[in-house]
Amino acid sequence: MALILDGKAVAAAYKAKIKAKVDALAAQNITCGLAILLVGNDAASRIYADRLVKLATGLGVQAVVRHLPADATEEEVLALVCELNEDDHIHGILPMMPLPPHLATDRVAAALAPDKDVDALHPLNAGLVATGKSRWAPCTPRAVMAILDYYQIDVSGKHAVVIGRSNVVGKPLAHLLLGQNATVTVCHSKTRDLAALTRQADVIVAAVGRPALIGPDMVRPGAVVIDVGINEVNGAVVGDVDYDAVFPIAGAITPVPGGVGAVTTVMVVEAALRSFGDL
Ligand code: NAP
């Protein structure tokens, strides 16, 4: 029976620290501002953006969604990024991904002011994370590390197998785990015999977007299983791990929902506060 790694408990600990920071800023008449840049009508992005606004506002951070239509031109998007970069009331900018296909994600990322770049999308921030020079990695990898830290799971010397190599989850997470002295294997869609690799893992992180990709035959008894995936199956939200089947084998496991996602949203608010120093 696995220890359930409760994202809500981790989030609560961070929320308390964020609130203390926000209150200290308020005493100096400073309000932190977060801008969420939403282009188009992707329903999941809209729901996520609204959830972020509710969370941030509840913590005393002024959050706004800046919405552009799905057919907004690159010039219009870059102009809005520029406006937010220059707005002294905005301390963090989060462009919701994916952007509509006619927009170049790289150019939008490169237009962000690096010190307001909540999800470390700017190449400078991605490079600093890759070279171990910045702890401000994208919010989801930081959420994974926050869960490990909260439950005092030391990864030093352990074999961590990360499944997924996106720039916003898998790759930066691999760098953060390396920074904590894990031995890291990064898997992806072209990996041969994924199960042979995951069975060697002390820590498995699944960040793919495929329900039940990780089954019980792929998990070494006692392994720590972190499920980043978010999938909808028959109206229910599930991760990439076959939770019920893996639960009796794993040493510890994150649920979906209530695992990594619950911490990621809090990491967004924390990142908006980064220009005011650590929590
Ligand atoms: P992504 O950009 O689509 O990347 C998916 C990765 O999975 C790619 O590297 C892909 O390999 C790999 N992959 C696909 N099929 C595979 C297979 N059969 N075996 C092994 N690897 C495979 O997605 P993402 O943005 O990283 O997000 C991953 C998942 O996490 C999604 O479900 C997303 O909704 C979720 N997510 C959750 C949170 C949270 O807070 N919980 C935050 C962000 C994302 P290739 O590189 O070879 O294509």
Side-chain angles (χ1 to χ4, degrees), residues 140 163-166 169 188-189 207-210 213 228-230 260-261 264:
T140 304
I163 311 153
R165 57 171 165 180
S166 71
V169 187
H188 46 78
S189 66
V208 173
R210 288 199 176 204
L213 177 73
V228 177
I230 299 177
V260 177
T264 298

Side-chain angles (χ1 to χ4, degrees), residues 20 63 111 176 222:
L176 296 184

Side-chain angles (χ1 to χ4, degrees), residues 29-62:
N29 284 325
I30 298 170
T31 305
C32 175
L34 167 68
I36 299 160
L37 176 55
L38 180 65
V39 187
N41 303 310
D42 179 64
S45 292
R46 176 92 237 180
I47 291 166
Y48 184 48
D50 289 346
R51 196 183 309 153
L52 277 173
V53 169
K54 199 171 158 205
L55 174 74
T57 309
L59 290 167
V61 168
Q62 202 158 45

